[in-house]
Amino acid sequence: MSALIPKTFLITGVSSGLGRAFAEGALGAGHIVVGTVRNAADAERFAALAPGRASPLLLDVTHLEAIPDAISDAERGAGPIDVLVNNAGYGHEGVLEESSIDDLQRQFAANVFGPVAMMKAVLPGMRERRRGHIVNVTSMGGFITMPGISFYCGSKFALEGISEALGKEVAPFGIHVTALAPGQFRTDWAGRSMDRTPRSIADYDMVMDPVRAARQAKSGQQPGDPARAAQALLALLEAPAPPSRLFLGQDALRLVEGKIASMEAEIAQWRSLSLSTNFAA
């Protein structure tokens, strides 16, 4: 068996949740991890995970103007970034009509604009070296949808589309891009980490009350194991031809496969109308 060649990872949002699990998995495998955190206490805890290989980086990914210098500092300390894992982000719960444009802007700042700025910061070096892998943590909500998280789904759909198109742009340079789409994992995503718009329109009670209650009841009981997600990430990164999209979890696969079947049926039903719009031959 060949010896491990350590890679330098840059993982955003390593203080908790999947980001923490991804960082612990990579460190456990012998890699170097630069992890973004938002305060000094989290930085100290992260550095203690693997002194000399766990390098905290104080950065809020929504502060777009700070990202280029932060990446330069990280690479001076830890070496060129081989793997970027855009994990930082959060969920917004609220029906569209009740939610504000400010809610939407904050959701896209964290889940889309920040990840794009991170990609733009690492791509010049990856392109020069003709290698690298960018993993954008999206969600099954970047392909399926559910009521009450329209802004979240919109942000993850956007990141999925950007990932897929970017992958085609940088493939000639030996750079891979994968959208990693988890289902429900046992993190704080549906608990303290979720931003919830207060309810205000009674007409939506029949939609939102059961959805919100079910989501809160599942928090801490989700089927997905973050440590196993980390091992899946490591396996993905070793693949010679990694996929442009990888779903994680039985629930994600079931819901995605159901949507694909529904889409196929709907396309077939409306096929004649779809084909009616070209100029006549």
Side-chain angles (χ1 to χ4, degrees), residues 76-193:
R76 277 194 292 271
I81 302 301
D82 299 302
V83 179
L84 168 64
V85 181
N86 268 319
N87 163 78
Y90 71 94
H92 171 266
E93 183 190 75
V95 294
L96 185 144
E97 190 177 352
E98 292 179 336
S99 303
S100 71
I101 295 299
D102 284 344
D103 290 332
L104 179 64
Q105 290 174 331
R106 286 193 297 271
Q107 182 77 112
F108 271 66
N111 292 4
V112 182
F113 303 150
V116 169
M118 296 293 294
M119 289 186 269
K120 287 177 68 66
V122 303
L123 275 170
M126 288 184 174
R127 181 166 45 78
E128 181 180 354
R129 294 186 295 274
R130 291 302 199 256
R131 69 178 187 275
H133 200 149
I134 294 171
V135 178
N136 289 322
V137 181
T138 58
S139 168
M140 65 179 179
F143 188 83
I144 66 157
T145 60
M146 297 178 182
I149 53 171
S150 55
F151 288 177
Y152 177 76
C153 288
S155 71
K156 293 303 186 178
F157 266 66
L159 190 56
E160 288 257 341
I162 289 168
S163 298
E164 188 172 321
L166 174 64
K168 295 173 181 177
E169 293 173 355
V170 300
F173 314 128
I175 302 170
H176 303 292
V177 182
T178 300
L180 191 67
Q184 300 172 87
F185 276 77
R186 202 164 295 178
T187 69
D188 286 329
W189 180 86
R192 65 178 179 84
S193 296

Side-chain angles (χ1 to χ4, degrees), residues 8 113 117 148 203 239-240 253-254 258 281:
T8 299
F113 303 150
D203 274 350
L253 280 181
R254 174 176 55 82

Side-chain angles (χ1 to χ4, degrees), residues 275-281:
L275 295 175
S276 70
T277 57
N278 283 8
F279 286 106

